[in-house]
């Protein structure tokens, strides 16, 4: 088997490669060539940690496996480690033999940023100029960096529940040569594209904070009970997702569905837009909303790419296992 340690990942995989891998696997999911297994996520009663498994099988890409890991909230302060910890395991679909073990921390950020970027590519207006950010934590920086590559953005506006964190995203905007402005939530009405990536359990962004024609990527809600935007916004929007089952149970759509504002059949897999079987945005006034819940197949797709590159460059650690 091959081992690709966490420290090698940054030099191996680019944002472009992550984007391509995620776009392809979303397309495969909608074509029913790939599917995710039910997610296991447990509060283990130790170190306040959440631990679980996300897995799946991509028949076309040949990726079979899982990501194991989760969130240890005290890692940083107690041990100087990042709070999110995960590892991807890939298996040979022909034999079941383990094929690779790959560090999953940076890959998680890259594949999550790739998901919102894929949604921007396929759903945002071509003339989008103002990029809005709700959130300024660890993932937000990756999200913004990738999003800025999708359109000719002229300005980034940002709001965060903890305003002292805003310099994190201001730095990314400046590095990309785009001016940054901190706004209040009603100020988000200026945005053509909005990414929300927070760990909130109550909505910040309300339906009347969003203008017609906007594309939103709601990326923070990946657990039952979390919520970033008002449920009424989903009723105003055309709603897309990575996977419908997750969207309505652990994603942003869980609240709108529970409130009877939308039904499961209103939520469309983004892969259908990529494959051309759903038209996606049909008017410049549509509000489109991508509910990015994070699926195991995204992890397997980027991890497979990393293994391929590591073997190609002769840096994968080979172990007789
Ligand atoms: P982080 O701890 O670095 O940042 C948290 C962000 O949430 C900050 O902007 C913080 O100000 C904001 N926040 C905290 N409490 C809030 C509140 N009550 N109201 C509004 N905002 C609040 O976390 P991170 O690593 O950037 O992750 C952000 C979220 O993204 C988490 O919920 C995580 O589970 C989720 N996530 C989703 C995916 C996916 O595939 N969809 C992947 C990775 C992480």
């Amino acid at each position: 088997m091959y081992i690709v340690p966490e420290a090698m990942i940054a030099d191996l995989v680019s944002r472009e490669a992550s984007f391509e891998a995620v776009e392809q696997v979303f397309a495969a999911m909608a074509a029913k060539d790939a599917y995710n297994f039910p997610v296991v996520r447990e509060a283990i009663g130790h170190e306040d940690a959440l631990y679980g498994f996300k897995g799946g099988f991509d028949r076309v890409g040949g990726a079979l496996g899982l990501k194991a890991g989760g969130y240890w909230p005290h890692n940083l302060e107690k041990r100087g480690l990042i709070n999110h910890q995960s590892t991807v395991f890939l298996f040979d679909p022909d034999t079941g033999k383990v094929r690779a073990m790959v560090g999953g921390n940076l890959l998680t950020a890259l594949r999550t940023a790739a998901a919102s970027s894929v949604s921007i590519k396929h759903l945002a207006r071509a003339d989008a100029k103002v990029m809005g950010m709700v959130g300024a934590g660890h993932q937000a920086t990756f999200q913004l960096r990738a999003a800025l590559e999708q359109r000719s953005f002229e300005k980034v506006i940002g709001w965060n529940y903890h305003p002292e964190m805003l310099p994190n995203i201001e730095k990314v905007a400046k590095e990309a040569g785009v001016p940054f402005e901190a706004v209040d939530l009603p100020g988000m009405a200026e945005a053509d594209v909005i990414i929300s990536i927070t760990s909130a359990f109550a909505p910040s962004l309300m339906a009347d904070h969003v203008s017609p024609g906007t594309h939103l990527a709601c990326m923070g809600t990946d657990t039952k009970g979390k919520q970033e935007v008002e449920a009424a916004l989903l009723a105003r929007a055309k709603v897309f997702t990575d996977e419908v089952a997750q969207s309505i149970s652990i994603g942003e759509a869980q609240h709108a569905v529970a409130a009877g504002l939308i039904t499961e059949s209103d939520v469309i897999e983004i892969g259908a837009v990529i494959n051309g079987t759903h038209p996606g945005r049909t008017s410049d006034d549509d509000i489109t909303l991508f509910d990015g819940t994070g699926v195991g197949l995204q992890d397997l797709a980027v991890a497979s790419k990393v293994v391929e590159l590591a073997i190609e460059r002769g840096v994968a650690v080979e172990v007789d296992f």
Side-chain angles (χ1 to χ4, degrees), residues 111-112 136 138-139 160-162 198-199 219-220 222 226 292 294:
R111 64 75 145 151
T112 307
H138 180 71
Q139 300 291 335
N160 195 45
Y161 185 76
H162 302 102
T198 69
S199 49
M219 304 303 297
D222 56 359
K226 281 189 186 172

Side-chain angles (χ1 to χ4, degrees), residues 38-92:
V39 174
V40 173
R41 200 165 162 88
E42 295 286 320
I44 58 172
H46 180 74
E47 290 285 340
D48 299 324
L50 281 176
Y51 176 71
F53 315 106
K54 280 186 169 184
F57 180 38
D58 177 354
R59 223 171 267 115
V60 174
L64 171 69
L66 59 91
K67 178 169 83 170
Y71 194 75
W72 273 256
H74 312 304
N75 270 2
L76 190 61
E77 69 195 68
K78 276 195 185 171
R79 303 182 178 88
L81 291 172
I82 67 167
N83 293 346
H84 170 97
Q85 291 292 332
S86 66
T87 307
V88 181
F89 297 89
L90 298 172
F91 296 83
D92 181 337

Side-chain angles (χ1 to χ4, degrees), residues 22 26 111-120 123 143 194-196 214-220 228 234 237-243 247 252-253 267-271 274 287-294 298:
V22 168
F26 283 166
R111 64 75 145 151
T112 307
S116 59
S117 281
V118 167
S119 84
I120 294 169
L123 294 169
Q143 292 283 322
I194 300 174
I195 292 177
S196 61
T214 304
H215 171 65
L216 294 107
C218 299
M219 304 303 297
E228 299 190 283
L234 281 86
K238 287 187 169 166
V239 182
F240 301 85
T241 188
D242 39 25
E243 192 190 82
S247 170
E252 203 59 44
V267 184
I268 309 296
E269 270 185 298
I270 184 121
I274 299 168
I287 294 176
T288 50
L289 186 150
F290 174 67
D291 186 6
T293 62
Q298 279 170 264

Side-chain angles (χ1 to χ4, degrees), residues 144-179:
L144 179 58
R145 199 168 287 127
L148 289 175
E149 287 163 356
Q150 293 306 316
R151 293 290 185 271
S152 303
F153 289 108
E154 292 173 357
K155 181 157 90 162
V156 176
I157 59 177
W159 177 88
N160 195 45
Y161 185 76
H162 302 102
E164 68 279 7
M165 293 170 80
L166 282 172
N168 292 341
I169 53 171
E170 178 168 14
K171 185 166 172 270
V172 174
K174 289 207 166 134
E175 277 166 8
V178 185

